[in-house]
Amino acid sequence: MAVHIRLTRVGATRRPAYRVIAIDSRRSRDGRALEILGYYNPLTDPITLKLDDERIAFWMSNGARPSDAVQRLMKVASE
């Protein structure tokens, strides 16, 4: 099973918020996640970003690949 770490959309119409999840790569964007790893809300000022670095490191050590968006968020969170 190929696991990806990516964003899934939550929130109301025109008010997006996102969860960072570990998910099987064959599932749809809003499919059932293996684990929720954090959340991201771009509409707050400043943005709200919380990532569980320990669990992300666990999934990546087991072969999970983060999406480009998640890689950028991880870089922002580490600063």
Side-chain angles (χ1 to χ4, degrees):
M1 171 171 55
V3 176
H4 286 174
I5 299 172
R6 63 185 189 205
L7 299 175
T8 186
R9 191 181 192 280
V10 295
T13 304
R14 296 188 187 97
R15 302 290 298 169
Y18 301 91
R19 287 186 183 141
V20 179
I21 60 170
I23 191 167
D24 182 7
S25 63
R26 296 170 293 202
R27 290 201 178 267
S28 65
R29 179 193 71 182
D30 294 332
R32 187 169 48 100
L34 298 170
E35 185 176 359
I36 297 173
L37 305 173
Y39 58 85
Y40 166 59
N41 186 348
L43 299 180
T44 59
D45 187 30
I47 65 167
T48 304
L49 176 61
K50 182 174 183 321
L51 298 176
D52 187 350
D53 296 326
E54 184 177 308
R55 293 303 295 170
I56 290 174
F58 167 79
W59 281 106
M60 290 179 69
S61 70
N62 286 319
R65 297 181 54 194
S67 68
D68 294 337
V70 171
Q71 284 181 339
R72 286 191 301 270
L73 290 176
M74 288 169 40
K75 186 175 180 181
V76 167
S78 67
E79 294 175 351

